[in-house]
């Protein structure tokens, strides 16, 4: 019986491999033999999860034709992968990907690093900060005081606690977007909200337009829901959204959904201006596309020139009829990732459909966490906690930017005015290879292709504002060590192994 559970076609694998091989080589890079480069490329795709474990690879002849190399080269690469434990084969069943014993199965998204690994590894994979104390403790204490009446009920509130729905609606109204509680559904984080929206509007095979690059975990969620992703390229730097491209894609591809992060975009940090928002809503309305606006970063402005009233109106503010835009918010980025509370703002009929579908998913969001967020909103604790979060992110951003500029002066990036991420062009080096080398020297960093479709952004990495001070400097030092490993063709120097580092 065959051991593979999926298959990768030769054209698809060739596209993924070419995205790595076509990057310009860094200075002093030694080029390995063709078979070794091919084996390394496939191994990296498996380690990053872009080619699943137990995926059947194309036959040697098919892949050789797609890559325009000799069959001998492919055969030698497959043999090297078998010797290293990344490929298994059986006569008559073909060859399929594997991971060697003792290696963790690669995740498809950006999973947090286990806390026990933090002593020797600096984690730049997850864009999340520690809880802003004492506000987490106070919010939980306040929630416990409000809990007894709810404890006498069944505890299932598919649309969310009425008090929290009303509070979220009031907050939108205060921002100039009149909103009723019937337009709000509370979810288990923003991921839960977007998952529900995708299942309601984007059935298997439906097209979803996404920014390119975009948030890796959302892209993977959509792939696993069976969506056909249609990438729309972002402009360079912080210019953000190219409205001519968006109009063309929405008109020609007619996607059922378009997903955007207009407020401090993840990963680039770009902030859409009011004209871009207006034109995006108009284009979506004309195409009959549901526009999902993710505003989980909207309160994380870090510079004075975008503070408070200087922020553009929410995307839903350009859709007064409420027929085009669905807004997703969350407490996870602005407050704490462990507070798994998100919400959807949409037309009442959409909310009713989402709530009805929820009966077959998770039934509802934990009551205690909803009460904690409601306490923060109703007491002013939210504003004070988020202000503390902005201060942490601002200090970390400035420290990380300075450290990267010192240690890696040829890396290029634009410093965003808010959000939690820095999108970096890595001096002509492969982001996938940097990520692999980083693991070996004690820094975990996600490569650019995780944020793209079909291997795009191989020359990029994403750096979050989660470390500061001496830890940011050490992270940059380790990234520089990883860059030297990639430039030298993969050899770890005696002084460049991981070191235990205590903040």
């Amino acid at each position: 019986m065959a051991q593979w559970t999926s298959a990768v076609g030769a054209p698809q694998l060739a596209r993924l491999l070419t995205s790595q091989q076509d990057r310009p080589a860094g200075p002093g890079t030694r080029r390995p033999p063709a078979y070794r480069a091919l084996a390394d490329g496939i191994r990296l795709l498996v380690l990053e999860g872009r080619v699943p474990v137990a995926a059947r690879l194309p036959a040697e002849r098919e892949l050789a034709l797609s890559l325009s190399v000799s069959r001998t080269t492919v055969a030698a690469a497959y043999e090297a992968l078998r010797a290293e434990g990344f490929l298994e084969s059986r006569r008559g069943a073909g060859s399929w990907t594997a991971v060697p014993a003792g290696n963790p199965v690669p995740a498809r998204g950006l999973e947090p690093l286990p806390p026990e690994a933090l002593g020797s590894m600096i984690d730049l994979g997850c864009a999340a900060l520690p809880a802003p104390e004492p506000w987490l403790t106070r919010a939980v204490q306040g929630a416990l005081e409000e809990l007894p009446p709810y404890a006498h009920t069944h505890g299932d509130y598919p649309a969310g606690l009425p008090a929290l729905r009303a509070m979220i609606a009031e907050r939108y109204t205060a921002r100039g977007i009149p909103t009723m509680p019937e337009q709000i559904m509370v979810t288990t984080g923003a991921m839960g909200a977007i998952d529900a929206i995708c299942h309601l509007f984007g059935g298997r095979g439906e097209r979803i337009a996404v920014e390119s690059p975009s948030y890796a975990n959302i892209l993977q969620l959509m792939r696993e829901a069976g969506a056909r992703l249609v990438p729309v390229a972002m402009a360079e730097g912080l210019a953000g959204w190219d409205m001519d491209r968006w109009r063309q894609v929405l008109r020609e591809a007619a996607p059922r959904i378009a997903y955007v992060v207009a407020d401090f975009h993840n990963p680039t940090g770009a902030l859409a201006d009011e004209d871009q928002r207006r034109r995006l809503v108009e284009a979506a309305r004309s195409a009959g596309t549901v526009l999902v606006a993710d505003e989980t970063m909207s309160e994380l402005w870090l510079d004075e020139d975008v503070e408070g009233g200087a922020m553009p109106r929410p995307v839903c503010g350009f859709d007064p009829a409420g027929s085009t835009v669905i807004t997703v918010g969350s407490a996870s980025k602005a407050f704490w990732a462990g507070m798994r509370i998100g919400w959807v703002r949409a037309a009442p009929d959409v909310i009713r459909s989402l709530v009805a579908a929820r009966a077959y998913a998770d039934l509802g969001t934990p009551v205690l966490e909803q009460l904690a967020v409601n306490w923060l909103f109703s007491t002013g604790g939210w504003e004070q906690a988020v202000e503390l979060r902005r201060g942490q992110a601002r200090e970390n951003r400035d420290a990380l930017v300075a450290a990267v500029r010192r240690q890696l002066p040829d890396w290029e990036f634009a410093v965003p005015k808010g959000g939690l991420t820095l999108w970096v062009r890595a001096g002509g080096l492969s982001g996938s290879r940097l990520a692999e080398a980083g693991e070996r020297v004690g820094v975990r960093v996600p490569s650019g292709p995780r944020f793209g479709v079909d291997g795009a952004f191989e020359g990029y990495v994403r750096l979050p504002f989660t470390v500061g001070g001496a830890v940011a400097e050490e992270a940059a030092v380790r990234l520089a060590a990883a860059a030297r490993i990639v430039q030298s063709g993969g050899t770890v120097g005696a002084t460049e192994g991981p070191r235990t580092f205590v903040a």
Side-chain angles (χ1 to χ4, degrees):
M1 180 179 177
Q3 300 298 307
W4 51 272
T5 57
S6 62
V8 180
Q12 179 189 7
L13 184 56
R15 283 197 305 273
L16 292 170
L17 290 166
T18 302
S19 73
Q20 298 176 341
Q21 296 166 357
D22 284 349
R23 295 301 305 172
T29 301
R30 297 199 302 268
R31 292 191 177 276
Y35 86 90
R36 185 69 260 174
L38 177 55
D40 287 348
I42 294 173
R43 178 171 53 84
L44 280 171
L45 292 173
V46 173
L47 287 172
E48 286 213 322
R50 290 191 283 143
V51 168
V53 175
R56 186 179 187 273
L57 295 186
E60 294 170 2
R61 188 184 302 275
E62 294 174 1
L63 186 56
L65 287 172
S66 291
L67 290 173
S68 299
V69 300
S70 71
R71 183 177 177 181
T72 303
T73 296
V74 178
Y78 278 14
E79 182 57 36
L81 289 168
R82 276 190 288 269
E84 295 163 3
F86 285 94
L87 198 67
E88 296 181 8
S89 303
R90 180 175 299 169
R91 185 178 297 277
S95 299
W96 56 92
T97 57
V99 291
N103 278 42
V105 176
R108 303 300 299 274
L110 303 180
E111 77 290 352
L113 189 69
E116 61 269 18
L118 293 176
S120 59
M121 183 73 70
I122 297 176
D123 186 11
L124 298 182
C126 186
L129 289 162
E133 288 288 27
W135 298 107
L136 174 62
T137 298
R138 292 180 182 177
V140 173
Q141 291 171 342
L144 288 171
E145 293 175 2
E146 299 292 331
L147 183 61
Y150 295 93
H152 295 291
T153 73
H154 51 62
D156 288 334
Y157 295 87
L161 293 184
L164 181 55
R165 295 175 73 197
M167 183 61 67
I168 294 171
E170 286 180 19
R171 291 174 65 83
Y172 276 107
T173 300
R175 294 167 66 189
I177 314 297
T179 302
M180 303 178 295
E182 293 78 11
Q183 292 177 263
I184 302 296
M185 181 177 83
V186 181
T187 62
T188 307
M191 292 287 289
I194 294 169
D195 182 59
I197 293 166
C198 287
H199 279 88
L200 180 63
F201 290 99
R204 186 164 294 277
E206 290 279 5
R207 295 184 181 91
I208 300 181
V210 295
E211 299 144 328
S212 183
S214 187
Y215 179 35
N217 287 341
I218 292 295
L219 294 181
Q220 191 57 35
L221 181 155
M222 292 173 174
R223 290 188 190 102
E224 293 182 357
R228 297 162 60 189
L229 300 183
V230 182
V232 186
M234 299 280 284
E236 284 293 316
L238 299 177
W241 294 259
D242 185 326
M243 294 317 306
D244 291 336
R245 289 175 179 169
W246 270 101
R247 189 175 294 105
Q248 179 183 3
V249 167
L250 293 178
R251 182 177 63 247
E252 295 178 357
R256 187 70 181 92
I257 300 174
Y259 169 76
V260 298
V261 186
D263 298 289
F264 307 120
H265 174 258
N266 186 353
T268 68
L271 176 67
D273 61 32
E274 294 213 350
D275 183 61
Q276 289 172 322
R277 296 168 190 239
R278 180 183 297 105
R279 295 170 64 189
L280 188 57
V281 172
E282 291 171 353
R285 184 183 298 117
S286 297
T289 297
V290 175
L291 181 61
V292 179
D294 183 338
E295 59 174 29
T296 55
M297 298 279 194
S298 64
E299 296 190 64
L300 291 176
W301 63 79
L302 306 181
D303 290 350
E304 291 182 358
D305 57 346
V306 292
E307 184 176 353
M311 283 287 291
R313 279 185 293 166
V315 174
C316 59
F318 299 93
D319 180 38
S323 59
T324 299
V325 178
I326 297 178
T327 303
V328 171
S330 172
S332 298
K333 294 297 186 184
F335 185 75
W336 184 47
M339 187 68 76
R340 304 305 305 161
I341 298 294
W343 52 86
V344 178
R345 181 200 181 274
D349 61 320
V350 172
I351 294 297
R352 285 193 294 271
S353 297
L354 288 170
V355 171
R358 195 171 194 182
Y360 308 101
D362 63 356
L363 291 178
T365 302
V367 170
L368 189 62
E369 292 184 28
Q370 291 187 73
L371 289 172
V373 172
N374 192 59
W375 183 92
L376 288 165
F377 284 159
S378 61
T379 62
W382 177 268
E383 284 71 24
Q384 295 182 66
V386 173
E387 183 59 35
L388 176 61
R389 169 69 77 240
R390 291 191 196 106
Q392 292 172 322
R394 185 183 303 113
E395 290 179 5
N396 289 353
R397 178 197 64 179
D398 295 347
L400 184 66
V401 165
V404 172
R405 283 176 171 163
R406 277 192 297 270
Q407 300 294 335
L408 294 149
D410 57 334
W411 285 21
E412 302 172 51
F413 51 85
V415 181
K417 296 178 180 293
L420 290 172
T421 57
L422 194 67
W423 186 236
V424 180
R425 183 184 283 113
L429 300 177
S430 161
S432 298
R433 286 172 168 76
L434 281 168
E436 183 192 27
E439 295 274 358
R440 295 153 67 184
V441 297
V443 61
R444 182 172 179 265
V445 58
S447 66
R450 291 199 171 199
F451 303 88
V453 177
D454 283 342
F457 307 110
E458 182 60 52
Y460 289 79
V461 293
R462 190 196 73 171
L463 306 180
F465 310 145
T466 53
V467 296
V471 185
E473 187 68 33
E474 177 68 12
V477 168
R478 296 186 187 188
L479 286 171
R484 289 193 295 273
I485 291 172
V486 175
Q487 289 169 342
S488 67
T491 303
V492 182
T495 62
E496 295 186 335
R499 297 175 291 174
T500 300
F501 184 79
V502 180

